[in-house]
Amino acid sequence: MTLRKKIFLGLLVTIQLALIWPIYALFGDVHLMVLGLPLSLAWIIAMLFASFFLLLWYYWTDPSRTSSPRPPKSKRP
Amino acid sequence: MENWILILIICGIYLAITLAMGIIPGLKVSDSVTGFVAGDRSMNLFILYFVMGASVFSSFAFLGGPGWAYSRGAAAFYIIAYGITGMIPIYFFGPKVRRLGKKHGFVTQAEILQDRYNSKTLSALLAALSILVFIPYLTLQMKGAGYVITTVSEGAIPQWLGAGVAYLVVLLYVYFSGVMGVGWTNTFQGIFMMIIAWFLGLYLPYKLFGGVGAMFTQIAQSPDVSKAILQAPGLNGKGAPWSWWGYSSAVLISAIGFSVWPHLFMRAFAADSDRTMKMTAVLYPTFQLFLVPILIIGFSAILVYPDVTPADTILPYILTQLDLPVLLVGLVFAGTLAASMSSGDAILHSAASIGVRDGLSLLLPDHLKTDQKERRYIRVLVVVISITAYYFAVISDVPIVNLLLGSYGGVAQIFPLVFCMFYWERATGSGALAALTGGVATTIFFLLYPDLRPVPMHEGIYGLIVNISLLTGVSLATPPESEDRIERYIQA
């Protein structure tokens, strides 16, 4: 397994664990309010962004992304 | 003219636009089964993104989401939480499924699993499981659509007529256009839903409290609501604090099952490239984010409109209490219809395709020898399934929707089979059959007898424990599948 995959899997598991007990229990209170949102909701939104940027990074660093040719455009929609 | 007639006209215009957008794309797709079921494998990123997103956001999202936030507070965050990682597996197996589908002509989930595990029984079992889950799901969407139109018309249009009109539109474009009808209407409905949700989610707290921050601060300080309402994991259905066991296992089981729902999984066969499939998974959280304003709608009513029952009616209730412009109210109701129909169409299309390709083709192989005949049978099944769901939605008193309670746990049992299809070469057909049967049976058992659970986890987790044990044990005890077969999947 490449280092890139190991980093990805490690962070993915971390994000998943951060959404359930016990990690979410540490960040599941009402205070501190973040941008007007209770911490319990702000934490979930933060994990949503973390997951988005993690997969985006994995996609951008995919070695096959630049090597595989795009399919020819079909006439059908 | 009375307000409700104007609102009804807006909903009517929405239905007419949806019908046109659903029928027109079908004229450009080939007459083949691949055209009907997988859109000639030509869906680009724009369409696939909205198909995956809008299919997930059903009338549950528009009516149930605010209802959960209103009655159970932070427990509703689980709806966002499971989608955060739930779509990621599609990034990995989606492109493999697409390539194998194109090479071998697969268009459904059961077809590819049947080939990998060399088991027609598995295909029939998956078809039965899919339809068993899809019919109550579709019934729920129809009930939602009927409810919206009845509310809009202040009771002048009964629920049976409202649901009938909305789903006649769905039936027509699914019948004529297949998946491309679903694709283009979902794109229109998805954009529409997003705009409505964000507008309402920001507007309501501003109008009622002066802003989102002020709203949450007042809820947190109010002596009239439970302190646990904004604190994870929120409240359970009875209003008492929800257990961490219940919350965490619900997030886990829903995340595991998310990517293998048959109507989402089979869209991989419709993608035009690996890049489209991967980017759909990458961009999915941007769709998931629109659940935030949906939940805020529910929170905005906690202090202002206490004790509204059932909680699922909170959004229509708010709309009827506030002095909002008629056009806006009409657009919101149309948005709710969009949520119902964008899931209903995908489910109807998938149920009929799966029923014929994975069920009838095994029972009546002589009747389905040509592409044309198969397509005709799928269309007939589209009509039959619509009528069945309509019967349960407005005529029958059988509480079929209760079946949905167990559906997430049941569908999650497909995940180990999909994972091992590509990543464990020793997985065998016997192992897969035993795993699926044992997993689903265990899930149903603990759904029926929840008091027998050792700890109060979601019943699907117990199903998965049995599922994975059987998949591993039976596979190792039976001879491996042929090397050629394994190679095709491991190297895909």
Side-chain angles (χ1 to χ4, degrees):
Chain A
M1 193 184 284
T2 61
L3 180 64
R4 175 175 154 272
K5 266 190 185 163
K6 281 180 191 166
I7 293 172
F8 175 81
L9 280 177
L11 289 174
L12 179 64
V13 171
T14 307
I15 290 171
Q16 181 61 70
L17 292 177
L19 293 167
I20 57 175
W21 185 88
I23 298 180
Y24 185 37
L26 300 174
F27 298 92
D29 216 333
V30 182
H31 302 285
L32 302 166
M33 290 274 197
V34 181
L35 299 171
L37 302 175
L39 182 62
S40 53
L41 177 57
W43 178 257
I44 294 281
I45 296 172
M47 290 305 110
L48 180 71
F49 279 104
S51 162
F52 171 67
F53 285 112
L54 174 65
L55 198 57
L56 189 65
W57 163 78
Y58 194 76
Y59 175 75
W60 278 110
T61 55
D62 186 350
S64 67
R65 192 175 69 87
T66 45
S67 58
S68 66
R70 293 277 303 276
K73 274 197 169 178
S74 164
K75 284 181 182 172
R76 294 204 168 95
Chain B
M1 193 184 286
E2 287 192 56
N3 280 355
W4 69 264
I5 298 177
L6 282 172
I7 297 170
L8 211 57
I9 290 171
I10 294 167
C11 290
I13 294 170
Y14 155 77
L15 286 175
I17 296 173
T18 304
L19 184 62
M21 291 204 72
I23 297 280
I24 294 166
L27 304 174
K28 295 176 183 172
V29 177
S30 74
D31 280 340
S32 65
V33 170
T34 308
F36 192 85
V37 181
D40 291 327
R41 307 184 195 280
S42 66
M43 271 194 192
N44 59 29
L45 175 61
F46 183 67
I47 304 289
L48 198 63
Y49 167 77
F50 280 104
V51 169
M52 299 291 258
S55 298
V56 173
F57 293 103
S58 57
S59 55
F60 170 74
F62 246 78
L63 297 174
W68 264 62
Y70 174 73
S71 60
R72 300 183 58 175
F77 301 158
Y78 119 88
I79 306 169
I80 306 176
Y82 74 75
I84 291 176
T85 52
M87 195 59 93
I88 289 177
I90 288 260
Y91 181 93
F92 295 94
F93 64 66
K96 293 171 188 280
V97 167
R98 189 196 75 80
R99 287 195 295 269
L100 286 162
K102 192 175 180 184
K103 193 171 177 185
H104 302 289
F106 306 137
V107 289
T108 68
Q109 183 185 55
E111 280 175 342
I112 193 167
L113 285 167
Q114 176 199 320
D115 183 68
R116 163 62 180 85
Y117 291 110
N118 193 22
S119 167
K120 286 190 176 176
T121 316
L122 185 65
S123 168
L125 200 62
L126 282 166
L129 179 66
S130 304
I131 291 182
L132 197 69
V133 168
F134 280 154
I135 287 184
Y137 205 145
L138 186 57
T139 300
L140 195 66
Q141 305 310 318
M142 282 188 182
K143 277 178 183 275
Y147 173 76
V148 168
I149 294 179
T150 304
T151 309
V152 165
S153 66
E154 296 176 3
I157 297 180
Q159 196 166 350
W160 64 266
L161 185 58
V165 171
Y167 272 81
L168 183 64
V169 170
V170 171
L171 171 64
L172 285 172
Y173 68 71
V174 172
Y175 184 92
F176 285 109
S177 302
V179 76
M180 288 316 277
V182 174
W184 280 100
T185 52
N186 280 14
T187 304
F188 166 62
Q189 290 158 334
I191 294 170
F192 191 48
M193 281 193 288
M194 275 186 170
I195 294 170
I196 296 289
W198 277 108
F199 174 78
L200 271 187
L202 295 175
Y203 176 77
L204 290 177
Y206 176 77
K207 185 168 172 73
L208 297 169
F209 299 90
V212 173
M215 178 189 77
F216 279 118
T217 305
Q218 287 186 39
I219 295 173
Q221 290 170 348
S222 171
D224 299 329
V225 293
S226 164
K227 289 292 163 208
I229 201 152
L230 292 180
Q231 191 175 342
L235 308 174
N236 64 19
K238 292 171 185 164
W242 201 8
S243 76
W244 275 110
W245 275 114
Y247 178 89
S248 300
S249 59
V251 169
L252 277 179
I253 201 71
S254 305
I256 290 168
F258 199 44
S259 59
V260 293
W261 270 87
H263 66 297
L264 296 177
F265 182 97
M266 63 193 280
R267 299 297 169 243
F269 298 116
D272 68 355
S273 67
D274 287 0
R275 176 185 170 273
T276 295
M277 205 59 245
K278 287 181 177 178
M279 280 306 288
T280 302
V282 171
L283 293 175
Y284 181 75
T286 58
F287 219 107
Q288 188 76 359
L289 198 62
F290 117 104
L291 278 171
V292 175
I294 290 269
L295 299 189
I296 287 177
I297 293 170
F299 281 113
S300 73
I302 290 176
L303 295 180
V304 186
Y305 307 113
D307 305 323
V308 174
T309 51
D312 288 354
T313 61
I314 194 63
L315 174 58
Y317 185 86
I318 298 172
L319 293 175
T320 52
Q321 296 299 308
L322 289 175
D323 190 20
L324 296 170
V326 177
L327 177 68
L328 178 63
V329 178
L331 289 174
V332 175
F333 277 117
T336 315
L337 270 184
S340 157
M341 293 165 70
S342 63
S343 299
D345 59 8
I347 292 159
L348 177 60
H349 169 267
S350 303
S353 308
I354 290 166
V356 170
R357 296 280 294 193
D358 309 325
L360 277 183
S361 65
L362 302 178
L363 297 171
L364 306 166
D366 297 337
H367 288 72
L368 299 166
K369 275 182 178 163
T370 65
D371 227 33
Q372 217 175 4
K373 278 187 178 175
E374 205 171 309
R375 189 178 159 117
R376 196 183 308 144
Y377 268 86
I378 294 175
R379 282 180 156 166
V380 170
L381 206 55
V382 165
V383 178
V384 171
I385 290 171
S386 298
I387 293 171
T388 311
Y390 183 72
Y391 171 78
F392 285 119
V394 299
I395 299 168
S396 167
D397 286 334
V398 177
I400 187 172
V401 175
N402 288 354
L403 276 176
L404 262 188
L405 290 174
S407 64
Y408 282 87
V411 169
Q413 306 307 320
I414 302 172
F415 188 85
L417 277 63
V418 170
F419 182 84
C420 292
M421 169 162 69
F422 296 114
Y423 301 108
W424 192 41
E425 50 193 62
R426 266 307 268 116
T428 67
S430 307
L433 256 180
L436 189 64
T437 316
V440 171
T442 307
T443 303
I444 293 172
F445 177 80
F446 283 118
L447 181 69
L448 296 176
Y449 303 103
D451 294 340
L452 296 179
R453 291 175 299 178
V455 285
M457 282 194 302
H458 193 286
E459 59 278 356
I461 298 283
Y462 292 102
L464 272 183
I465 294 168
V466 173
N467 181 320
I468 294 167
S469 309
L470 284 170
L471 184 57
T472 314
V474 177
S475 290
L476 290 174
T478 48
E481 302 296 340
S482 72
E483 271 185 34
D484 285 356
R485 191 180 296 276
I486 302 298
E487 198 69 9
R488 275 209 303 274
Y489 285 86
I490 300 294
Q491 301 300 330

